[in-house]
Amino acid sequence: MVVIILTIVLGLVMISMAVTALTAQRVRAAVLASGIVSLIASIIYLLLAAPDVAMTEAAIGSGLTTIIFFYVLNKIRRSDV
């Protein structure tokens, strides 16, 4: 019962972060919100007994993708100046 409630709460937080990523005025805030969506997705996968999918989502979805987005944003900012 606790797992179901926690999954529902995390799902609601995930939806709110997705809306934040879509409506954010700053690109960095949108990238950070999308990284949080991926991190919450990996926690939900772990709660639903899929640890292999959770580790892949945490490593690629929230970790590597967010780092690549921030790296590209820094490269774009430097080339604009």
Side-chain angles (χ1 to χ4, degrees), residues 7-50:
T7 304
I8 291 171
V9 170
L10 286 173
L12 292 173
V13 172
M14 191 166 136
I15 290 171
S16 68
M17 284 292 117
V19 170
T20 302
L22 290 173
T23 60
Q25 298 294 324
R26 294 181 167 186
V27 178
R28 290 184 191 268
V31 170
L32 192 60
S34 68
I36 292 172
V37 168
S38 294
L39 185 62
I40 292 173
S42 67
I43 294 170
I44 290 175
Y45 289 139
L46 190 61
L47 290 174
L48 296 175

Side-chain angles (χ1 to χ4, degrees), residues 31-72:
V31 170
L32 192 60
S34 68
I36 292 172
V37 168
S38 294
L39 185 62
I40 292 173
S42 67
I43 294 170
I44 290 175
Y45 289 139
L46 190 61
L47 290 174
L48 296 175
D52 53 341
V53 179
M55 291 204 35
T56 303
E57 180 67 28
I60 304 299
S62 63
L64 185 64
T65 304
T66 305
I67 290 170
I68 289 173
F69 272 131
F70 280 126
Y71 177 75
V72 169

